[in-house]
Amino acid sequence: MDRVHKGYLQHNDISPGNVLLHFPEDKVSEVYIGVCDWGLASRVCETTPSRYGYPSDEARTEAFKERGSFVAPELWYTYGKPNSKTSLETLRRRHLYTQAADAYSVGVVANMIWKDEDDFDLFKDTAGKARFAVALKELTNPDPKSRSTLRLVHATLTAPPYNFQIPECCYRKHI
């Protein structure tokens, strides 16, 4: 997703259902990660409003139960009556998809994937695992202004001591 953001695009719908994991049989120590369902993607320069606005707190709470944990907190809102300060039209302009919202969703999914990982070759020690967890956790800071960026986390995880290798192309090379 860091590469996507460098191209001034954002996905706007990262969730476990949109993440593909491929485990090549001939490379048992590798996993390739892909992202699908680009139907809600937008350019960074576009002002794409959140689709998580609801007419009541109850409706918002129900929707959050279904999808909430993968969606950045700043995208959720309850709107009020038309022509008011809290009207749908007004709040849609305040609750926009951003790269920070994408980063939040990536952080939630990445924490799910790596939560129980205990690979000694990857982490080397308990402190290494803790630093790794902190790097991922910083993506899910509820305050988008304090949230880490995918670029910073990418730089952290591709540098020592982790040295993650980033593939140069999709694992489906022949398409």
Side-chain angles (χ1 to χ4, degrees):
M1 288 306 301
D2 179 49
R3 284 188 181 181
V4 170
H5 285 184
K6 285 178 184 174
Y8 302 103
L9 297 171
Q10 51 205 33
H11 188 277
N12 302 334
D13 193 23
I14 297 292
S15 68
N18 291 337
V19 175
L20 306 170
L21 300 177
H22 173 68
F23 301 90
E25 290 181 22
D26 60 331
K27 299 176 183 176
V28 294
S29 65
E30 293 186 18
V31 60
Y32 297 104
I33 302 172
V35 179
C36 64
D37 190 0
W38 292 84
L40 296 176
S42 63
R43 290 186 170 96
V44 171
C45 62
E46 295 173 352
T47 52
T48 306
S50 164
R51 64 180 211 263
Y52 297 102
Y54 295 90
S56 69
D57 289 337
E58 294 80 20
R60 188 184 72 209
T61 300
E62 279 303 308
F64 184 84
K65 287 178 186 175
E66 290 178 25
R67 178 113 178 111
S69 63
F70 306 109
V71 178
E74 65 270 20
L75 295 177
W76 294 93
Y77 62 96
T78 302
Y79 57 86
K81 296 178 182 178
N83 302 318
S84 71
K85 290 182 180 181
T86 60
S87 72
L88 177 60
E89 298 77 24
T90 301
L91 292 184
R92 282 175 59 91
R93 288 190 295 268
R94 289 189 203 150
H95 297 270
L96 303 175
Y97 285 106
T98 63
Q99 288 185 341
D102 256 6
Y104 181 91
S105 299
V106 167
V108 171
V109 172
N111 276 297
M112 290 175 65
I113 292 170
W114 293 98
K115 176 179 68 170
D116 296 322
E117 184 62 47
D118 206 19
D119 185 338
F120 179 77
D121 290 333
L122 174 63
F123 298 120
K124 310 292 185 235
D125 57 29
T126 306
K129 184 173 182 176
R131 286 190 305 273
F132 182 87
V134 166
L136 291 183
K137 192 71 177 160
E138 288 175 352
L139 290 172
T140 59
N141 186 320
D143 178 3
K145 292 179 178 156
S146 300
R147 189 175 301 146
S148 188
T149 64
L150 289 175
R151 183 172 292 178
L152 180 59
V153 171
H154 174 268
T156 300
L157 297 181
T158 55
Y162 307 109
N163 300 316
F164 274 16
Q165 298 299 309
I166 305 301
E168 293 302 315
C169 64
C170 176
Y171 65 86
R172 299 176 76 183
K173 296 176 186 177
H174 304 293
I175 294 180

